């Protein structure tokens, strides 16, 4: 919408008479679950989640009743997924249970598109109890967390909020760089003139203990340094002595698993501190550098081995680090140049390696040589035959000394030596030491280095074949060399190696190499080995290869049994076809495909191997077994092939495989009309919602079985339908209401809340009045059942923040509200609260300031006491606490 259309729309919309006519015309009478009255939409999170951005904007500008919490402490508190937050962010929480929600009113990505400064100005002005007054600092904390510059500018410039320099430190530390730069410019002169501030900045950025303790991601390390140096223009520190616990090898990463862009950014970071790393690089060049262990590290390592072995291993690692000196690098390049006859290769080696990649301009130029896709690709996937390989490996080598020497350095070194130098000896040498070095295993097969004996000695099935080699020529040579050994050697374990290689090629889904691999006819497969092959399948083309191998082995096994039966004078009918060679019941390939959940291959098998398929289909029994949806989809698409339905009846399993309504609906539609079905237990409300809206007759007839506690909601929907469609008289509907009220007594509080949630959501005042008139009758008002009804209803109303409905009930049934407030005040210490009724508890924990103010204004509660240490502090209830701590009230006593 443009601004003119916005103005015209809202002029019409704000006319209450016209708006009511529009809403009545567009009302969806069939939507039981997601239909709200305009006045009942006050959750900001709900409007954002469902895309009603203009509606939210209108309500904010009008100052209507809104709730801002993203967690409802009464309903589904743990089911919602939030944006992960790292330890650096969490260390500033100070006891808050802070969550980052993509449906927050401050979420940066949505705010930049849908809202502007005017929106946040209206938000802060119209809801001062939440965002201003005593809560400016809390609002600042949140908008910096989301890096929402618009909101921060409005808070500071329009509402006179004063920022502190601490906000600058926090903002750049957590990576909120837009807000950080805004704050920096307000303290620019102070920061640039203060050596104390600058040393603090560099200690934050280069202190190794902070990296380690907070597990800071490598990209964030580089981004923070880039921001401070190139955006804020903070002078670079000159000496490592000013940095507490400075460790030059501070990158704790496996280089070969990093994106190329990360490697380059790490080197750019290092290149900006020439003076800081000068002494470290010098000690490597003159071979004076030695790893120094702390006392704790030494004690830890000596638990694993002797001092002699520890010193030997440290000496080995030191020698590796020394070999990375610039002198050795130049010598290596000279050797490379002497061995290369190609002038282009010589130039590449000279330019790339002699520079040692410590120049910022050079690194920028190198980064520009690569495409965006290449920069975002991991090193192990980039190292293929290309003219850029030497550049990539040169970058890799240059960063090696700066990776943690007691952690990933050994892995990084081994990878480089095997990959670049074809040196496998260092790894074998290190393998004998087990004190410092990691458990990472590098096998020659990973690099396509063919070593038949090593494969014989270590034939583990780990899907690691060619994992560090994408060079097709090397892979072809590897398979061809094995084919030769397969024919020429008499090594008894060679067939195990063959099965291992075949399984790895199936996992890789490499059809060309799988076809190249020789398939000896004398090789047999056990049941488990067949299942292993099937489990690794990814394509129908590879299935054709594997099935041919399995059938060939099966034919060989049958022929062998027949020959043996003839030799021993036993008729072939005694050969047990139902038992495999390893003594297990035989499984057909169809059952194996189902067990391994290869739904993408099942249809291919039926179409191309129909005789085999139909000979096995009636052996399938899915009873008391659970597979993924794709398997059941195939079965129900081909239900006529299965003669006994009950053996493949999906509704007899626990349905945990169903992930969404679409999958549930797919199976329901293909279920025989004469058969019943049931609702999944997980997230059952979404499936019940579907049934209510789309297949209500199946609920009524009993064809769909559902949990008994859903009965009340089911009955309520029937009443709503009958009332909307004028199927029954008012007296009949009234009787159904009474039946519903009576039926609700048989269920627990969750059922009551769930039903009341729908009743309040519809603003169904007729039913609310009927219920409250019934419970407020002198004969009922003090009964436990009546109190349970009232408690459940008020819990829902309060947790939802429906203040107008609460006021309506109080205006008509004040005695009910008063009894609830007084009864709650009699309770002792519960859930962190002392003498506190549930409406107050829920208003407080959900952060509904206006709601709590209204309840307390009634003056009907005793003094309420609670400890902040006993409740979870979120943004919303933190704002509430700040508000009530700073205002005079006679009813709320907060212990901190």
């Amino acid at each position: 919408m443009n601004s003119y259309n916005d103005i015209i729309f809202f002029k019409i919309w704000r006319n209450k008479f016209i708006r009511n006519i529009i809403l009545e015309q567009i009302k969806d009478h069939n939507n039981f679950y997601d239909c709200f009255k305009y006045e009942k939409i006050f959750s900001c999170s709900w409007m954002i989640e469902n895309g009603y951005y203009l509606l939210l904007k209108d309500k904010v500008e009008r100052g209507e009743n809104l709730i801002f919490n993203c967690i409802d402490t009464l309903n589904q508190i743990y089911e919602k997924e939030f944006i992960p937050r790292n330890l650096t962010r969490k260390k500033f929480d100070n006891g808050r249970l802070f969550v980052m929600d993509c449906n927050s009113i401050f979420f940066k990505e949505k705010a930049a598109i849908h809202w502007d400064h005017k929106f946040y100005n209206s938000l802060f002005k119209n809801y001062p109890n939440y965002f201003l007054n005593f809560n400016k600092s809390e609002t600042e904390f949140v908008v910096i967390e989301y890096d929402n510059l618009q909101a921060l500018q409005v808070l500071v410039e329009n509402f006179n909020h004063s920022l502190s320099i601490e906000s600058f430190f926090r903002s750049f530390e957590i990576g909120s760089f837009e807000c950080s730069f805004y704050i920096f410019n307000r303290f620019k002169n102070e920061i640039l003139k203060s050596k104390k501030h600058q040393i603090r900045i560099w200690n934050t950025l280069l202190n190794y203990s902070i990296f380690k303790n907070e597990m800071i991601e490598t990209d964030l390390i580089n981004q923070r340094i880039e921001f401070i140096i190139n955006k804020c223009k903070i002078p670079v520190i000159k000496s490592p002595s000013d940095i507490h616990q400075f460790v030059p090898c501070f990158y704790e990463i496996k280089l070969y698993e990093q994106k190329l862009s990360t490697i380059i950014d790490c080197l750019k970071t290092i290149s900006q501190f020439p003076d800081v790393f000068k002494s470290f690089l010098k000690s490597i060049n003159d071979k004076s550098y030695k790893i120094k262990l702390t006392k704790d590290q030494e004690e830890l390592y000596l638990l694993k081995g002797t001092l002699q072995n520890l010193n030997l291993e440290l000496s080995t690692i030191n020698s590796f680090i020394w070999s990375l000196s610039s002198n050795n690098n130049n010598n290596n390049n000279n050797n490379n140049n002497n061995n290369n006859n190609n002038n282009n290769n010589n130039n590449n080696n000279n330019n790339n390696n002699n520079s040692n990649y410590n120049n910022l301009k050079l690194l920028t130029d190198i980064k520009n040589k690569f495409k965006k896709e290449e920069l975002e690709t991991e090193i192990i996937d980039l190292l293929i035959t290309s003219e850029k390989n030497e550049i990539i490996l040169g970058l890799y080598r240059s960063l090696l000394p700066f990776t943690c020497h007691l952690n990933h350095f050994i892995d990084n070194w081994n990878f480089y030596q095997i990959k670049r130098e074809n040196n496998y000896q260092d790894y074998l040498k290190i393998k004998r030491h087990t004190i410092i070095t990691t458990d990472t295993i590098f096998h020659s097969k990973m690099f396509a280095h063919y070593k038949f004996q090593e494969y014989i000695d270590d034939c583990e099935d780990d899907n690691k074949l060619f994992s560090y080699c994408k060079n097709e020529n090397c892979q072809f040579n590897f398979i061809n060399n094995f084919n030769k050994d397969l024919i020429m050697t008499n090594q008894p374990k060679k067939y195990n190696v063959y099965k291992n290689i075949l399984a790895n090629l199936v996992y890789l889904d490499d059809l060309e190499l799988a076809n190249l691999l020789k398939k000896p006819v004398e090789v047999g497969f056990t049941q488990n080995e067949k299942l292993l092959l099937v489990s690794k399948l990814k394509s129908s083309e590879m299935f054709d290869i594997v099935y041919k191998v399995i059938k060939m082995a099966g034919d060989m096994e049958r022929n062998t049994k027949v020959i043996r039966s003839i030799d021993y004078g036993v008729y072939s009918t005694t050969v047990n076809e139902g038992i495999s060679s390893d003594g297990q019941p035989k499984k057909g390939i169809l059952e194996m495909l189902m067990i391994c959940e290869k739904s993408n291959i099942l249809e291919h098998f039926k179409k191309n191997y129909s005789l085999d398929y139909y000979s096995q289909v009636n052996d399938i029994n899915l009873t008391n077994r659970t597979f993924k949806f794709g398997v059941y989809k195939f079965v129900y698409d081909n239900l006529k092939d299965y003669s006994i339905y009950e053996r493949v009846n999906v509704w007899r399993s626990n349905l945990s495989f169903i992930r969404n309504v679409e999958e549930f609906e797919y199976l329901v539609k293909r279920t025989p009309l004469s058969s019943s079905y049931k609702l999944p237990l997980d997230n059952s409300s979404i499936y019940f919602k579907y049934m209510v809206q789309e297949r209500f007759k199946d609920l009524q007839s009993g064809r769909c079985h559902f949990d008994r506690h859903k009965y009340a909601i089911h009955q309520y929907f029937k009443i709503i339908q009958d009332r909307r469609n004028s199927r029954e008289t008012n007296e009949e509907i009234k009787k159904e209401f009474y039946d519903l009220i009576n039926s609700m007594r048989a269920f627990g509080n969750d059922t009551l809340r769930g039903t009341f949630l729908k009743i309040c959501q519809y603003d169904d005042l007729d039913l609310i009045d009927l219920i409250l008139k019934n419970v407020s009758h002198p004969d009922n008002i003090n009964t436990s059942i009546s109190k349970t009804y009232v408690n459940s209803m008020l819990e829902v109303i309060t947790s939802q923040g429906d203040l107008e409905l609460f006021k309506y009930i109080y205006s008509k049934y004040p005695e009910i509200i008063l009894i609830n407030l007084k009864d709650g005040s009699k309770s002792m210490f519960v859930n962190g609260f002392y003498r506190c009724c549930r409406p107050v508890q829920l208003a407080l924990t959900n952060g509904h300031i206006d709601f709590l103010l209204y309840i307390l204004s009634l003056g009907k509660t005793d003094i309420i006491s609670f400890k902040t240490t006993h409740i979870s502090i979120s943004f919303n209830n933190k704002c509430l606490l700040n508000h009530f701590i700073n205002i005079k009230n006679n009813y709320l006593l907060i212990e901190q």
Side-chain angles (χ1 to χ4, degrees):
M1 279 188 166
N2 57 42
S3 57
Y4 175 75
N5 287 338
D6 278 351
I7 294 170
I8 297 299
F9 171 79
F10 285 115
K11 277 188 176 181
I12 297 172
W13 183 253
R14 285 168 183 160
N15 183 306
K16 190 172 182 179
F17 176 75
I18 296 176
R19 184 174 74 236
N20 287 341
I21 293 176
I22 294 172
L23 291 174
E24 187 61 34
Q25 292 298 315
I26 65 173
K27 184 183 292 183
D28 183 359
H29 291 287
N30 294 319
N31 193 337
F32 175 67
Y33 268 85
D34 298 323
C35 183
F36 292 87
K37 282 191 173 183
Y38 172 84
E39 294 79 9
K40 291 298 170 183
I41 303 175
F42 34 71
S43 168
C44 294
S45 179
W46 183 91
M47 284 183 270
I48 295 169
E49 183 176 2
N50 291 280
Y52 295 110
Y53 302 107
L54 283 176
L55 178 62
L56 175 59
K57 183 178 180 182
D58 176 56
K59 284 179 174 286
V60 166
E61 289 180 356
R62 292 159 64 87
E64 294 187 10
N65 175 44
L66 293 175
I67 60 172
F68 304 99
N69 62 320
C70 54
I71 298 178
D72 179 352
T73 57
L74 184 65
N75 298 296
Q76 300 176 340
I77 180 172
Y78 297 114
E79 292 184 12
K80 194 166 184 177
E81 292 185 7
F82 298 105
I83 302 168
R85 299 173 71 240
N86 59 30
L87 293 177
T88 302
R89 289 177 179 270
K90 290 179 180 178
K91 77 177 182 181
F92 294 103
D93 287 354
N94 294 326
R96 300 175 183 85
L97 180 67
F98 188 87
V99 295
M100 288 192 73
D101 183 16
C102 61
N103 296 316
S104 166
I105 205 164
F106 295 115
F107 185 62
K108 179 179 177 180
E109 283 71 12
K110 291 178 181 176
I113 299 172
H114 301 289
W115 305 309
D116 52 18
H117 289 77
K118 182 182 176 183
F119 171 80
Y120 286 110
N121 190 76
S122 299
L123 179 70
F124 296 158
K125 182 181 71 174
N126 293 335
Y127 305 92
N129 287 345
Y130 290 89
F131 303 107
L132 300 178
N133 296 349
F134 310 111
N135 284 310
K136 285 184 179 180
S137 295
E138 201 64 30
T139 303
E140 178 204 315
F141 179 93
V142 174
V143 298
I144 289 177
E145 187 74 24
Y146 285 101
D147 199 18
N148 189 322
L149 180 57
Q150 290 184 108
L152 184 62
Q153 286 176 317
V154 170
L155 182 67
V156 172
E157 297 169 19
N158 294 12
F159 296 96
N160 301 317
H161 175 58
S162 297
L163 295 166
S164 72
I165 199 167
E166 290 302 316
S167 299
F168 166 70
F169 282 99
R170 171 180 168 247
S171 58
F172 86 75
E173 200 170 341
I174 67 175
S176 293
F177 298 122
E178 288 191 31
C179 286
S180 188
F181 192 60
Y182 174 79
I183 301 169
F184 168 77
N185 283 322
R186 303 184 79 85
F187 295 96
K188 184 174 182 179
N189 291 334
E190 180 181 345
I191 293 171
L192 293 178
K193 291 178 181 179
S194 170
K195 183 175 178 62
K196 178 182 177 182
H197 288 325
Q198 292 174 33
I199 289 177
R200 180 181 172 184
I201 289 170
W202 294 119
N203 268 281
T204 300
L205 294 176
L206 298 175
N207 186 322
Y208 176 72
S209 64
I210 294 177
F211 295 163
K212 193 170 183 67
N213 294 336
E214 297 178 16
M215 295 184 288
I216 301 177
E217 296 177 356
T218 303
D219 287 342
L220 180 57
I221 293 174
N222 295 329
Q223 290 165 7
R224 297 194 308 188
I225 292 174
E226 169 77 12
F227 170 76
I228 290 297
I229 293 178
N230 297 317
K231 188 79 173 177
C232 298
K233 307 295 182 185
I234 305 293
V236 176
I237 195 167
K238 298 295 183 182
S239 171
S241 61
D242 291 328
I243 302 170
H244 179 64
Q245 290 193 19
F246 173 72
V247 177
C249 48
F250 57 73
Y251 285 119
E252 294 209 28
I253 53 175
K254 292 183 178 181
L255 296 180
Y256 47 90
E257 294 179 352
Q258 304 304 309
K259 297 180 293 186
L260 177 59
S261 60
T262 300
I263 301 295
I264 295 175
D265 289 342
C266 288
L267 287 169
K268 288 174 74 173
T269 295
I270 292 165
S271 69
Q272 299 189 81
F273 299 97
D275 294 323
V276 173
F277 291 102
K278 184 177 180 180
S279 60
F280 169 64
L281 293 173
K282 181 178 181 298
S283 68
I284 293 177
N285 288 335
D286 62 21
K287 299 185 179 181
S288 62
Y289 174 79
K290 291 184 179 179
I291 298 173
K292 296 178 181 178
L293 301 179
T294 65
K295 185 176 180 181
D296 291 341
Q297 287 172 331
E298 185 172 332
E299 290 177 355
L300 175 65
Y301 291 136
L302 287 178
L303 293 175
K304 302 178 181 180
T306 65
L307 180 61
Q308 181 180 359
N309 288 339
L310 176 60
N311 290 333
L312 177 62
E313 191 165 355
L314 288 171
S315 177
T316 301
I317 298 173
N318 285 332
S319 68
F320 293 157
I321 297 170
W322 296 340
S323 69
L324 294 171
S325 69
S326 57
N327 295 330
N328 284 353
N329 193 29
N330 291 332
N331 291 334
N332 289 338
N333 290 324
N334 291 331
N335 292 333
N336 285 336
N337 292 336
N338 291 333
N339 293 330
N340 281 320
N341 295 322
N342 186 300
N343 289 331
N344 289 332
N345 286 341
N346 289 337
N347 290 334
N348 281 338
N349 287 331
N350 283 328
N351 292 336
N352 299 331
N353 292 326
N354 287 339
S355 66
N356 209 29
Y357 301 105
N358 57 6
N359 180 280
L360 189 59
K361 183 179 182 306
L362 175 64
L363 289 166
T364 303
D365 291 341
I366 287 173
K367 194 169 187 176
N368 292 334
K369 290 181 180 180
F370 291 90
K371 299 176 183 177
K372 183 179 180 180
E373 298 78 23
E374 292 174 324
L375 291 170
E376 294 304 305
T377 304
E378 291 183 2
I379 292 293
I380 55 176
D381 294 323
L382 267 180
L383 290 173
I384 57 177
T385 302
S386 76
E387 69 280 0
K388 296 177 181 177
N389 271 11
E390 285 299 318
I391 298 177
I392 297 170
L393 287 166
L395 293 166
Y396 184 104
R397 185 186 191 281
S398 293
L399 191 55
L400 255 174
F402 302 96
T403 59
C404 183
H405 295 165
L406 294 175
N407 195 350
H408 296 308
F409 173 81
I410 294 298
D411 293 337
N412 294 330
W413 170 268
N414 286 330
F415 180 89
Y416 179 80
Q417 288 298 309
I418 298 171
K419 187 72 184 177
R420 174 66 177 82
E421 306 295 342
N422 199 22
N423 173 11
Y424 204 66
Q425 295 307 308
D426 282 345
Y427 170 64
L428 295 176
K429 179 180 178 182
I430 293 170
K431 225 176 159 186
R432 291 193 291 268
H433 300 299
T434 57
I435 300 178
I436 296 177
T437 53
T438 66
D439 296 329
T440 301
I441 296 174
F442 288 104
H443 196 285
S444 58
K445 66 182 179 183
M446 299 176 182
F447 301 88
H449 293 174
Y450 183 70
K451 296 178 181 293
F452 183 68
Q453 190 57 47
E454 186 184 353
Y455 226 140
I456 291 291
D457 295 339
D458 186 4
C459 193
E460 182 181 353
D461 177 56
D462 53 10
N463 299 326
K464 295 294 181 66
L465 182 67
F466 307 148
S467 54
Y468 298 144
C469 177
K470 309 302 178 185
N471 186 301
E472 291 184 359
N473 289 332
C474 294
Q475 293 174 355
F476 274 100
N477 289 336
F478 185 99
I479 299 299
N480 282 327
N481 286 330
F482 174 72
N483 284 339
K484 292 176 185 177
D485 280 332
L486 192 61
I487 296 170
M488 302 298 294
T489 66
N490 293 320
Q491 173 63 252
K493 292 184 179 180
K494 66 181 181 180
Y495 294 133
N496 291 337
V497 176
Y498 159 71
K499 293 176 186 178
N500 185 278
I501 292 177
L502 176 62
N504 273 263
L505 294 179
V506 172
Y507 173 79
L508 292 171
D509 199 34
D510 196 315
L511 302 175
E512 196 170 4
L513 291 177
N515 280 316
L516 179 64
L517 181 67
K518 288 188 180 297
K519 290 126 185 121
V521 295
E522 63 272 24
V523 176
F525 290 87
T526 66
Q527 189 89 330
N528 287 337
E529 288 170 341
K530 293 175 186 177
L531 276 169
L532 178 66
L533 288 173
V534 173
S535 70
K536 294 173 182 283
L537 287 169
K538 296 177 182 176
S539 69
S540 55
E541 293 82 4
M542 183 60 79
F543 169 78
D544 293 336
I545 297 173
V546 169
Y547 193 40
K548 182 179 178 181
V549 171
I550 290 176
K551 288 194 75 174
M552 185 171 64
D555 292 341
M556 185 69 182
E557 183 181 351
R558 278 191 295 273
N559 292 338
T560 301
K561 286 184 177 181
V562 170
I563 292 171
R564 286 176 179 171
S565 68
I566 293 172
D567 287 344
Y568 289 95
V570 181
Y571 291 108
S572 59
T573 53
T574 63
V575 177
N576 191 342
E577 292 293 338
I579 302 297
S580 67
S581 59
D582 52 358
Q584 298 182 15
K586 275 194 173 180
K587 293 179 176 66
I589 195 68
L590 178 61
E591 185 177 1
M592 289 185 185
L593 288 170
M594 289 183 176
I595 291 171
C596 298
E597 301 180 327
K598 300 300 174 181
S599 53
N600 59 321
I601 301 171
L602 284 166
E603 194 62 48
H604 171 81
F605 176 65
K606 177 182 176 179
K607 180 179 178 180
N608 294 277
Y609 304 91
S610 57
L611 289 176
D612 291 346
Y613 169 78
Y614 285 108
S615 70
Q616 300 174 32
V617 71
N618 286 321
D619 295 331
I620 299 301
N621 188 343
L622 306 184
T623 305
N624 297 323
R625 300 166 77 176
T626 302
F627 303 96
K628 288 184 179 178
F629 171 75
V631 173
Y632 294 109
K633 178 181 181 297
F634 171 80
V635 171
Y636 272 63
D637 284 342
N638 299 277
L639 208 52
K640 64 180 185 301
D641 297 340
Y642 300 85
S643 58
I644 305 175
Y645 172 68
E646 287 307 311
R647 297 182 71 180
V648 293
N649 184 353
V650 66
W651 309 108
R652 297 177 66 181
S653 67
N654 62 20
L655 305 185
S656 60
F657 65 89
I658 295 180
R659 298 167 296 179
N660 51 54
V661 171
E662 289 72 26
E663 292 181 354
F664 174 71
E665 180 183 35
Y666 192 92
L667 295 174
V668 168
K669 286 182 176 180
R670 286 156 182 78
T671 298
L673 292 175
S674 59
S675 299
S676 61
Y677 59 94
K678 64 182 180 181
L679 295 181
L681 291 177
D682 294 339
N683 296 319
S684 60
S685 58
I686 65 171
Y687 303 108
F688 188 75
K689 169 183 172 181
Y690 162 78
M691 292 300 301
V692 163
Q693 296 181 172
E694 303 294 334
R695 306 183 72 88
F696 188 64
K697 289 183 179 179
D698 285 354
L699 289 176
Q700 287 182 301
S701 67
R703 184 185 175 214
C704 175
H705 302 298
F706 59 94
D707 293 336
R708 189 166 174 265
H709 72 269
K710 295 287 185 187
Y711 180 78
I713 296 178
H714 164 261
Q715 287 296 101
Y716 178 53
F717 178 67
K718 183 178 180 300
I719 294 172
I720 293 294
Q721 274 196 328
D722 291 342
R723 189 166 58 178
R724 285 175 174 173
N725 297 323
S726 300
R727 291 174 183 164
E728 298 180 345
T729 65
N730 288 337
E731 285 302 315
E732 288 173 323
I733 290 176
K734 189 174 182 180
K735 181 179 182 304
E736 286 193 11
F737 273 148
Y738 276 118
D739 290 341
L740 173 62
I741 293 170
N742 291 326
S743 72
M744 289 167 64
R745 298 178 181 181
F747 305 103
N749 288 343
D750 289 342
T751 300
L752 287 174
R753 292 191 195 108
T755 309
F756 281 131
L757 186 63
K758 296 303 170 195
I759 294 171
C760 297
Q761 177 180 308
Y762 274 121
D763 202 24
D764 196 338
L765 298 182
D766 290 340
L767 182 53
I768 290 173
D769 283 335
L770 194 64
I771 293 172
L772 294 180
K773 283 178 183 176
N774 185 41
V775 301
S776 63
H777 190 277
D779 294 337
N780 298 330
I781 194 166
N782 287 312
T783 64
S784 60
I785 292 176
S786 294
K787 290 180 179 180
T788 300
Y789 272 52
V790 172
N791 283 339
S792 297
M793 184 182 290
L794 293 183
E795 281 178 344
V796 168
I797 293 171
T798 311
S799 66
Q800 295 293 302
D802 195 343
L803 180 56
E804 294 305 313
L805 183 54
F806 188 89
K807 289 179 178 179
Y808 170 82
I809 293 174
Y810 181 69
S811 68
K812 295 193 69 174
Y813 311 98
E815 68 281 4
I816 290 178
I817 298 292
L818 295 179
I819 288 174
N820 183 271
L821 297 180
K822 288 295 182 182
D823 282 355
S825 299
K826 295 175 185 176
S827 63
M828 300 304 287
F829 193 81
V830 179
N831 296 330
F833 296 92
Y834 180 73
R835 303 177 68 81
C836 183
C837 60
R838 282 292 280 164
V840 170
Q841 287 185 33
L842 290 167
L844 200 152
T845 54
N846 282 288
H848 301 325
I849 297 176
D850 297 329
F851 211 127
L852 187 56
L853 281 170
Y854 178 76
I855 293 174
L856 297 180
S857 72
L858 299 177
K860 305 300 181 181
T861 63
D862 293 332
I863 295 177
I864 299 165
S865 174
F866 72 94
K867 295 183 178 181
T868 59
T869 55
H870 288 189
I871 63 173
S872 297
I873 303 298
S874 64
F875 165 62
N876 286 93
N877 58 32
K878 178 66 174 175
C879 292
L880 182 147
L881 293 175
N882 290 340
H883 184 83
F884 281 95
I885 287 172
N886 287 280
I887 67 169
K888 290 183 178 180
N889 77 88
N890 299 320
Y891 297 100
L892 199 62
L893 179 61
I894 303 172
E895 299 179 30
Q896 300 187 70

